Amino acid sequence: MARYHGFEGSTSRRDFLKLAAAGAASASAGATWRPRKADAKPAQITFMRESSYVKEFDEHFKNVLIPRYQAETGIKIVYEIIAAGGSAVPRTVAIVESKAPVDAGWVQQEWLYREGLLDVSDIAKDVGKQQGGWYSEIEGLSVWEGKWRSVPFGNIGQCMVYRRDWFDQAGITAFPDTWEEFLEAGTKLKKAGHPYGMSMGHGFADNNSWLLPLLWGFGGQVVAKDGKTITLDSAETARAVDYVRKLYKDACLDDCVGWLDPANNKAFLTSQISCTNNAMSILISAKRDLPDMGKVTDHAPNPKGPKGRFHSFVPVTHGIFSHTPDPAAAKHFLRWLMDPKQVAAWYRSAQMYHAPFLHAYDKDEEWNKEPRFKPYQKVLETGKLVSWPAPADRRAGEVVNKWIVIDMFAKACTGTPTKTVIADGVAGLKQIYG
Amino acid sequence: MSTNPVLEAARPATRAVPAGRPFRLREWLEREAVFSWLMLTPPLLFLLAFLGYPFCYGVYLSFVKRPVAQPATFVGLGNFVNLWNDAIFWQAVWNTFRFTAAATVLKLVGGLGMALVMHQNFKLKGMTRALLLLPFIVPTVLSTVAWQWIFDPGMGMFNRLLMFFDLVKQNQGPSWLGNPTLAMVSVILVNTWRGLPFFGITILAGLQTIPDELMESATIDGAGTWARFRYVTLPLLMPVIFIVTTFSIIFTFFDFQLVYVLTGGGPANATHLMATYAYSVGMSSGQLGMGSAAALAMVPVLGVVLLMMSSYVRRA
Amino acid sequence: MVGELTWSRRLVGLWLPLTLLFVFALFPFAWMAATSLKANAELYDPTANPLWIRHPSLVHYIDLFKETNFVVWIGNTMLVATVSTVISLLLGVMLAYPLARMRFPAAGLLAITVAVTYLVPQTLLFVPMADLINRMKLGDTLTAVMLTYPTLLVPFCAWLLIGYFKTVPKELEEAALIDGASRWRAMTRVILPLCTPGFLSAGIFAFTLAQNEFLYALLFLNTSTIRTVPVGVTGELIRGDAFYWGQLMAAAFLGSLPVVLIYSFFVKYYVAGLTAGSVKG
């Protein structure tokens, strides 16, 4: 079993268990599918996730799904939630490294540690077949060397969030369709005292989610499809950098160059900015706390560039850590969780803010409850993994986590010439791609 | 007061032990070396197990290429060579120096002042001292969240004050966390705010150990306030000041949480410190070997700083 | 104490600087307190004064208690901080006392070794430490952090204590020894009581750092009910990019006030201990 690289030593035992589990997988839930001694107590499975900004999502899991699974199988599920951003990835890395007692969960940035995840191809394939098939772009993340290392769940979409009232006042009746129009509109709005706030700091999502689509829309690419050739240094990239510098100067609030992910929520909700790129969380907060603002806040897809319209994924996938003492039990739980009887209601409990990667939910009635959320479903069609067009591997992850591309734009905004920032970016990429 | 109650308390008890009785074990225990090593063994064993082992493991990691969940391959000094060639690393080194130097000086001067002010008699002394410790007490992750609002361009207290006094117009206030220079100033300010009380209270404790008689006799000899401070207080405080400063240098040098929550090292690496850099390489990017090398690189740098400081203090 | 002060000197020398210190140290708390008592609508209102509350509301405090395990987290934090402080002080004294006041072989080497332990960055240790905790089967237990925090604290406690131990004149100890006291008795009855401020200073330092610690608590503790305040609060009140500002600030406030009360008691005691025990020749 070469793919385990022999670093855990208990491969043969696990494989035996897997075989045993596969043999019993068709049997209905109960005591038979788990190879365990008759006197063994029911297992406990620890499932870890980043805390959700739609509280109801975590509550649904705790109050509906956990009791239901316990009633059906007698197995207790422990739900561990951790904060986003700085905590989630290091925590997962530590879990993989120290084989901490966590069995499964949202395997954020799985490209860093796929070798520490179980093969879940059987579950992913069955779930796909059963529920309309997967969006193909997500396979670039979940499938590695021919095997599914995670079961995709949903995309936390990132779109343009804007104040329709201020856009109307400035005479902009439709949200800008191209990046050039976006700049024009922003210039007007900033003059009217309502600048944009486009995050460019060392955050985790709100920076990549517009800067990468913008770069791609202008025709720039960070690394080529082969995952080796550094293609950042191009005339297209230079145009994108110049554009962002101008956008920052003419249309944005000064502060946004240093923003982490909560900062644009704060600025939007305190009426300091007219537009930003974010997930649904702003509208959800506004509807709850500021009903007036909730009425005039709207969403739009990212503008398009000369090379088209792009979005970037913030994908949520579930995986099983290969150090789990009872892989069969963890797999059974994950399969059960992704069954439409469970997962459909779970998606809906969060107002679809995890846009399902399964085509069966493309036209789900939940999308009609708040039409303003629909652009987030559309993100799936033009969405790419942040590594695009290169494969989503460890090195692509390093580029993201060291903010190489983000800093290229941020430096340009704080006054460094285009040539220098691109050269710095390429130097950073060379460190990673060697 | 002419007698020391503690000594008085100790004396009668010690007299109760018959002197000069031949009791070998006790004599053996009374030898300085034996007594010392008996005391030292438990803490050393603890440190060996919980610090020595992880440290050696960390050093080993810095010589291998070791992505998460993958086996290690020996690369010798490869990780350090990579660091040497990484412009971001050097920026982090430079930032760490500036951050540490500025914050330490501010905390030292402020803390000395705070201690001198609090070394006086006034009502509610205990409560005042405890309240002034608040910045040091509140968990950094939470106080830094508050600072995110205090530095807010439109809603923050700084810019609200500037607007109140008509120094800046609406939406024109300085960008405390967006401007690269100001961002550094801001993280230094927050670090100073958090660390100052510890300096104050520690130096205050040092002040309290200075016998009043020394001050009184200096006053009788005609020394003014400044002379008393310069020639009596300061020399006697030197050991405490030296320790607390060295402390602060180390903690500031390794500071991670504050910057991570406030700026993440941005904008464009303007506030990236060696610790946040090591964290982003080792933990967020999953290069455990490189991350360990980056963390280990802090040790000699910091060692040199401390050596320079201690030799300076010895000469002075 | 320090001569007679006139009213104006007292103003310049005490009240003015004290006021400035208070403003500098406490204005963020004024904001925190105000925010914890405001409903979100008012917090986000751009026309509202950051320090003034128009419609005070306890909603964040109620939610904090109702929806999270805050009380449990406080309990855990106090327990962990107390235990690791006690361990650190004990080990710290054992390390500091010989180093500060005794001559013995290999003292120089030992001093250097201990000095090096100060320089070990936490960022270097967390992967090895996670491994160690896992090998000891301590993952997800409070014992894990109780044992790992002292590794951060012992070197510094020892160091602080060395400083205080050195300030006590050697004659005091010699006098006790001549009077027939054993080394142990001289230490516990003469030297250590004189260093009470040192203990309080090191204790406050250790306790504060322990209740503040984030990284090890994040990496070693999973279950909500065995988390400490910093990890529990950020895990459940920082949801994606949506911060529950009011509840976060309520937690910061409620979490630190008990500590302030404890400290104010200790600081008083430490002043009393000083007047009784200071070196009066």
Side-chain angles (χ1 to χ4, degrees):
Chain A
M1 297 275 113
R3 67 171 183 277
Y4 288 107
H5 299 275
F7 70 95
E8 315 100 322
S10 59
T11 319
S12 54
R13 184 184 139 266
R14 185 185 17 261
D15 281 1
F16 163 74
L17 289 175
K18 238 181 358 190
L19 286 174
S26 51
S28 63
T32 49
W33 54 270
R34 260 179 303 120
R36 64 173 68 243
K37 288 180 209 139
D39 61 344
K41 281 180 189 145
Q44 164 177 309
I45 295 171
T46 301
F47 191 74
M48 182 197 69
R49 277 186 118 272
E50 184 180 298
S51 53
S52 156
Y53 63 71
V54 183
K55 237 186 197 170
E56 291 75 15
F57 178 79
D58 290 330
E59 275 159 14
H60 182 86
F61 190 93
K62 272 191 234 166
N63 302 335
V64 179
L65 296 178
I66 292 180
R68 190 187 295 167
Y69 193 69
Q70 190 155 13
E72 286 179 19
T73 64
I75 293 177
K76 193 180 155 212
I77 304 292
V78 176
Y79 189 47
E80 179 196 347
I81 56 172
I82 47 177
S87 311
V89 175
R91 171 83 182 118
T92 323
V93 164
I95 287 171
V96 171
E97 272 304 307
S98 68
K99 306 182 175 43
V102 175
D103 302 287
W106 172 359
V107 284
Q108 206 165 140
Q109 301 218 14
E110 61 194 86
W111 46 33
L112 297 175
Y113 49 85
R114 282 180 178 117
E115 293 79 0
L117 298 176
L118 279 189
D119 176 1
V120 288
S121 302
D122 49 341
I123 304 176
K125 282 181 187 158
D126 291 351
V127 170
K129 248 179 256 160
Q130 193 183 15
Q131 300 176 66
W134 297 106
Y135 275 86
S136 60
E137 178 70 14
I138 194 60
E139 290 179 19
L141 181 69
S142 287
V143 182
W144 190 246
E145 290 171 346
K147 301 222 160 52
W148 294 73
R149 293 298 168 130
S150 63
V151 179
F153 181 66
N155 178 49
I156 303 182
Q158 297 272 137
C159 282
M160 291 296 177
V161 184
Y162 68 104
R163 284 285 295 265
R164 214 178 41 228
D165 53 340
W166 289 342
F167 273 66
D168 286 347
Q169 277 167 29
I172 307 149
T173 45
F175 191 83
D177 192 47
T178 66
W179 288 110
E180 286 310 321
E181 289 165 28
F182 183 67
L183 170 63
E184 263 171 56
T187 313
K188 270 191 217 163
L189 280 156
K190 188 173 179 176
K191 280 198 186 117
H194 305 303
Y196 294 163
M198 309 300 292
S199 309
M200 283 186 263
H202 282 188
F204 53 91
D206 298 343
N207 43 10
N208 292 308
S209 64
W210 73 279
L211 282 169
L212 288 175
L214 183 141
L215 178 72
W216 299 333
F218 274 72
Q221 285 174 3
V222 180
V223 174
K225 202 170 176 181
D226 62 4
K228 286 187 198 119
T229 322
I230 297 169
T231 46
L232 186 67
D233 190 0
S234 66
E236 288 83 1
T237 304
R239 274 199 287 280
V241 170
D242 290 337
Y243 172 87
V244 171
R245 186 191 286 116
K246 194 159 167 44
L247 182 79
Y248 174 69
K249 199 169 146 276
D250 295 347
C252 291
L253 190 71
D254 285 355
D255 212 44
C256 69
V257 72
W259 279 359
L260 308 182
D261 289 60
N264 61 343
N265 294 51
K266 175 161 64 98
F268 196 98
L269 293 171
T270 51
S271 306
Q272 296 184 65
I273 55 171
S274 58
C275 177
T276 188
N277 192 286
N278 203 62
M280 293 176 186
S281 54
I282 289 180
L283 180 57
I284 290 175
S285 304
K287 287 211 291 195
R288 185 184 55 215
D289 295 326
L290 305 162
D292 290 337
M293 188 187 289
K295 281 178 208 137
V296 292
T297 300
D298 210 343
H299 298 136
N302 286 340
K304 65 182 180 199
K307 292 283 148 67
R309 192 188 311 278
F310 292 91
H311 288 87
S312 75
F313 278 165
V314 182
V316 178
T317 56
H318 295 140
I320 299 170
F321 298 109
S322 46
H323 64 256
T324 172
D326 198 343
K331 285 181 88 168
H332 180 270
F333 172 67
L334 188 53
R335 182 183 285 277
W336 176 86
L337 188 63
M338 290 306 290
D339 189 283
K341 272 180 274 175
Q342 274 70 243
V343 79
W346 199 27
Y347 280 133
R348 289 173 197 139
S349 72
Q351 305 176 46
M352 305 304 265
Y353 101 90
H354 302 98
F357 284 120
L358 288 159
H359 283 290
Y361 301 91
D362 287 354
K363 301 212 158 44
D364 196 84
E365 15 85 48
E366 185 71 26
W367 287 115
N368 301 326
K369 287 194 185 154
E370 173 53 271
R372 287 181 287 178
F373 287 155
K374 273 188 180 165
Y376 288 96
Q377 201 283 321
K378 294 280 173 225
V379 164
L380 294 174
E381 289 164 20
T382 50
K384 303 284 179 206
L385 296 166
V386 285
S387 59
W388 187 85
D393 60 7
R394 181 190 304 279
R395 289 175 299 185
E398 234 179 290
V399 175
V400 171
N401 292 320
K402 286 165 101 178
W403 303 284
I404 305 272
V405 181
I406 303 307
D407 282 347
M408 175 181 81
F409 287 109
K411 268 187 224 164
C413 293
T414 53
T416 316
T418 307
K419 266 205 174 130
T420 319
V421 298
I422 296 179
D424 287 353
V426 170
L429 291 172
K430 277 191 183 145
Q431 281 277 320
I432 296 163
Y433 283 88
Chain B
M1 273 209 246
S2 57
T3 52
N4 184 315
V6 174
L7 276 183
E8 284 307 302
R11 266 181 197 136
T14 54
R15 279 192 200 112
V17 179
R21 201 177 67 180
F23 180 37
R24 273 219 175 127
L25 179 65
R26 185 180 159 180
E27 264 168 43
W28 185 71
L29 285 175
E30 284 302 289
R31 285 160 66 179
E32 267 184 80
V34 175
F35 184 80
S36 302
W37 279 105
L38 279 178
M39 292 271 289
L40 288 168
T41 310
L44 286 180
L45 283 179
F46 175 83
L47 288 181
L48 202 65
F50 284 92
L51 206 56
Y53 165 74
F55 178 70
C56 292
Y57 190 168
V59 171
Y60 154 77
L61 279 178
S62 66
F63 291 105
V64 295
K65 186 173 166 59
R66 172 74 164 76
V68 190
Q70 278 189 18
T73 35
F74 185 73
V75 292
L77 292 173
N79 289 327
F80 296 97
V81 173
N82 269 340
L83 280 183
W84 190 269
N85 294 325
D86 188 347
I88 305 175
F89 173 73
W90 287 109
Q91 193 177 356
V93 173
W94 171 229
N95 286 342
T96 309
F97 270 109
R98 287 194 299 169
F99 175 70
T100 310
T104 307
V105 168
L106 285 173
K107 280 185 278 191
L108 178 58
V109 174
L112 194 58
M114 176 173 163
L116 289 170
V117 170
M118 290 204 297
H119 188 49
Q120 301 179 55
N121 257 322
F122 51 91
K123 275 181 193 162
L124 291 175
K125 239 183 342 190
M127 200 59 199
T128 307
R129 286 169 180 171
L131 274 177
L132 284 176
L133 270 175
L134 256 175
F136 187 62
I137 293 170
V138 184
T140 308
V141 271
L142 297 178
S143 59
T144 311
V145 165
W147 280 94
Q148 287 182 350
W149 275 85
I150 293 167
F151 288 129
D152 189 283
M155 303 290 289
M157 285 209 253
F158 288 155
N159 282 4
R160 280 296 175 90
L161 264 182
L162 292 175
M163 278 182 240
F164 181 78
F165 290 110
D166 267 336
L167 292 170
V168 296
K169 275 185 271 172
Q170 184 84 30
N171 278 342
Q172 311 265 305
S175 168
W176 294 96
L177 298 173
N179 177 303
T181 316
L182 276 182
M184 186 47 113
V185 172
S186 301
V187 291
I188 291 171
L189 180 69
V190 180
N191 181 284
T192 305
W193 171 80
R194 192 190 55 186
L196 186 68
F198 182 66
F199 266 80
I201 212 81
T202 314
I203 297 177
L204 176 65
L207 275 177
Q208 311 261 19
T209 58
I210 297 175
D212 285 349
E213 285 79 358
L214 275 181
M215 286 305 204
E216 279 157 22
S217 59
T219 315
I220 292 164
D221 290 349
T225 314
W226 170 249
R228 279 201 308 264
F229 174 73
R230 176 69 186 80
Y231 297 106
V232 182
T233 314
L234 206 54
L236 284 170
L237 275 182
M238 261 342 250
V240 172
I241 289 182
F242 175 73
I243 284 169
V244 77
T245 308
T246 319
F247 251 58
S248 158
I249 289 181
I250 294 173
F251 275 90
T252 314
F253 205 88
F254 290 157
D255 199 1
F256 161 79
Q257 267 188 55
L258 190 167
V259 172
Y260 207 87
V261 179
L262 204 56
T263 65
N269 298 325
T271 58
H272 223 5
L273 304 180
M274 289 175 86
T276 50
Y277 175 83
Y279 187 83
S280 82
V281 172
M283 290 310 263
S284 312
S285 306
Q287 289 289 1
L288 304 181
M290 260 303 261
S292 297
L296 198 61
M298 291 194 267
V299 177
V301 179
L302 184 58
V304 168
V305 173
L306 294 178
L307 271 180
M308 271 160 47
M309 206 188 89
S310 68
S311 73
Y312 173 80
V313 168
R314 256 174 224 145
R315 255 186 290 128
Chain C
M1 293 194 62
V2 193
E4 293 294 309
L5 287 175
T6 60
W7 182 85
S8 62
R9 279 189 67 179
R10 202 154 162 82
L11 180 73
V12 178
L14 176 67
W15 298 118
L16 211 63
L18 200 61
T19 311
L20 283 176
L21 272 171
F22 254 91
V23 171
F24 177 66
L26 299 185
F27 79 93
F29 293 96
W31 184 85
M32 286 161 101
T35 303
S36 71
L37 292 168
K38 275 180 195 177
N40 284 342
E42 193 178 338
L43 171 68
Y44 291 134
D45 183 350
T47 61
N49 184 320
L51 294 180
W52 188 253
I53 313 159
R54 276 186 223 148
H55 308 287
S57 137
L58 285 173
V59 64
H60 299 307
Y61 288 88
I62 294 166
D63 286 351
L64 184 67
F65 285 109
K66 257 197 350 213
E67 293 174 9
T68 72
N69 291 314
F70 186 68
V71 179
V72 181
W73 297 335
I74 291 262
N76 289 342
T77 309
M78 292 297 142
L79 179 68
V80 167
T82 309
V83 172
S84 43
T85 303
V86 170
I87 295 179
S88 306
L89 281 181
L90 274 178
L91 295 179
V93 171
M94 295 168 103
L95 207 53
Y97 193 78
L99 280 173
R101 307 192 66 89
M102 305 260 150
R103 267 164 306 166
F104 56 93
L109 184 72
L110 189 68
I112 292 171
T113 318
V114 173
V116 170
T117 62
Y118 310 143
L119 305 183
V120 181
Q122 207 186 353
T123 19
L124 179 71
L125 293 182
F126 50 77
V127 171
M129 208 65 107
D131 175 66
L132 192 66
I133 291 302
N134 182 55
R135 277 164 198 264
M136 295 173 71
K137 302 261 175 272
L138 290 175
D140 205 20
T141 62
L142 288 178
T143 318
V145 286
M146 286 175 190
L147 283 177
T148 42
Y149 289 174
T151 62
L152 306 169
L153 306 173
V154 169
F156 292 95
C157 284
W159 195 356
L160 263 181
L161 291 172
I162 286 176
Y164 287 105
F165 289 165
K166 275 190 174 162
T167 58
V168 182
K170 210 160 174 78
E171 291 77 23
L172 282 179
E173 196 180 0
E174 279 160 10
L177 290 176
I178 288 165
D179 284 349
S182 65
R183 283 193 189 280
W184 176 256
R185 194 171 269 279
M187 177 179 93
T188 52
R189 290 295 172 84
V190 181
I191 310 300
L192 297 190
L194 283 176
C195 296
T196 315
F199 286 112
L200 284 162
S201 174
I204 285 176
F205 172 77
F207 190 88
T208 311
L209 246 63
Q211 59 124 20
N212 210 331
E213 205 283 337
F214 184 72
L215 205 51
Y216 286 160
L218 171 73
L219 299 185
F220 302 153
L221 308 176
N222 318 330
T223 317
S224 177
T225 49
I226 58 160
R227 279 180 170 169
T228 57
V229 169
V231 176
V233 165
T234 51
E236 294 188 26
L237 298 177
I238 295 182
R239 298 182 152 270
D241 58 353
F243 280 43
Y244 284 62
W245 305 103
Q247 288 184 48
L248 280 167
M249 291 306 108
F253 222 69
L254 285 185
S256 31
L257 280 182
V259 186
V260 171
L261 289 178
I262 299 171
Y263 283 7
S264 76
F265 169 75
F266 273 119
V267 173
K268 246 190 241 162
Y269 167 80
Y270 131 107
V271 175
L274 280 163
T275 38
S278 62
V279 193
K280 305 267 166 155

